Amino acid sequence: MAAHLGVPWRVTGFTDLGDRASHRCGIFRGSPIDVFAKLNTGGETGPELRGLALLRRHGAPVPESIGEVPVPGGSLLLQKAIAEIPAEWADIGRVLGTLHRAYGESFGLDFDGFFGPLPQDNRQCPDWPTFYASRRLEPLLRGAVDSGHLDSTLAAGVSRVISRLPLLCGPAPRPTLLHGDAQQNNFLTAADGVYLLDVSPYYGHPEIDLALLDYFAPVPPVVFDAYRSVTPIDPGFPSRRELWRLAGYLAVVTVDGASDFGRPFLGRVADAIKLYR
């Protein structure tokens, strides 16, 4: 990290990437390196740097961190920018499968994080249904209700799903190191391989990451085929996919539920309730 600090640097341009992220971000073109900068206004930078360091220790390919720069109203997360090439979908599947071969003793993590702009409680639990209920769905349900975007009928439906989690979660998983926000835009393909971006790691159910891969848009089947070449996918995963996405749906409703982008996610919440009520 310290290698780039204090070194003369000249900015030659800026590429705005805000349309690909939940935070304002972009690449400062310069010499001798290009620098990716992401503006965080809620204390997200410190946990993200710790998350990147955790994944790096487990051999996951993540961008090279430069550090954190305080700015009015928040801080900038700075990383060495990576030249992007068209996605290598099979490599994405293999990299995620390799990450999922790192295991922990319990579900959660010893520090909290963020899912987009929302704080994420990672306090550890001994079993997955308890963790998914108390650390993910219940806080996100409260946030969606408090935002005014989720009505009482849908909220009651989510509560019913939460009460049934011990029956819905499938075989007990081993606590697996997750990307944590593994939607397809958070993988970057470069000439030297695939990198994991915007990570929010914790030890959880591997199907969480798998469910988020095609959360916003389809991905080719080769992603899952390549993943299976590294580590298996339980045959029951397709029936649980929407259960794991429910947390993400509630997050979008909380942050963007009044927008043209966010309103359709209310329908997705309703559809998930019908599947698992």
Side-chain angles (χ1 to χ4, degrees):
M1 182 183 295
H4 299 294
L5 297 179
V7 175
W9 179 59
R10 182 172 59 89
V11 178
T12 58
F14 179 75
T15 301
D16 192 332
L17 300 175
D19 61 339
R20 297 178 59 177
S22 58
H23 295 73
R24 294 179 63 188
C25 62
I27 295 175
F28 287 97
R29 308 294 176 183
S31 178
I33 62 170
D34 295 337
V35 174
F36 171 82
K38 180 169 73 170
L39 176 63
N40 291 321
T41 58
E44 301 97 320
T45 300
E48 184 168 351
L49 285 170
R50 291 183 71 181
L52 289 164
L54 171 64
L55 266 62
R56 190 179 293 112
R57 288 197 300 272
H58 284 278
V62 296
E64 180 182 346
S65 296
I66 296 175
E68 177 181 6
V69 177
V71 296
S75 65
L76 289 176
L77 169 68
L78 302 180
Q79 298 172 320
K80 186 176 180 180
I82 300 166
E84 187 174 12
I85 64 173
E88 292 286 350
W89 295 106
D91 288 346
I92 289 172
R94 282 189 286 269
V95 164
L96 189 61
T98 300
L99 175 67
H100 286 178
R101 294 177 68 179
Y103 303 105
E105 297 299 320
S106 59
F107 297 95
L109 199 60
D110 58 358
F111 61 91
D112 292 337
F114 286 81
F115 185 76
L118 299 177
Q120 184 161 267
D121 182 354
N122 289 333
R123 286 175 297 161
Q124 294 169 317
C125 293
D127 68 272
W128 174 248
T130 299
F131 181 88
Y132 192 53
S134 63
R135 307 294 188 250
R136 294 297 178 263
L137 289 183
E138 288 173 356
L140 286 164
L141 174 59
R142 288 194 297 270
V145 170
D146 291 346
S147 74
H149 303 149
L150 192 77
D151 64 37
S152 59
T153 300
L154 288 179
V158 174
S159 293
R160 287 195 300 273
V161 172
I162 293 172
S163 71
R164 300 190 68 236
L165 283 178
L167 300 174
L168 297 172
C169 284
R174 188 174 178 184
T176 299
L177 184 57
L178 304 184
H179 178 298
D181 191 4
Q183 55 97 357
Q184 59 185 270
N185 287 332
N186 287 340
F187 294 86
L188 184 149
T189 302
D192 60 345
V194 168
Y195 289 82
L196 282 62
L197 310 178
D198 289 339
V199 302
S200 183
Y202 61 97
Y203 290 93
H205 198 312
E207 291 178 0
I208 293 285
D209 277 352
L210 293 171
L212 289 180
L213 278 171
D214 50 358
Y215 177 73
F216 290 121
V219 298
V222 68
V223 178
F224 300 100
D225 294 339
Y227 179 97
R228 289 187 187 92
S229 74
V230 178
T231 193
I233 298 175
D234 187 86
F237 164 62
S239 69
R240 294 185 291 269
R241 190 191 305 258
E242 289 300 302
L243 182 64
W244 311 137
R245 288 177 173 173
L246 182 56
Y249 296 157
L250 292 170
V252 173
V253 168
T254 300
V255 176
D256 289 313
S259 70
D260 290 342
F261 170 76
R263 279 191 294 271
F265 284 82
L266 293 168
R268 298 186 187 187
V269 171
D271 290 342
I273 291 169
K274 291 175 184 176
L275 281 174
Y276 303 113
R277 62 188 175 189

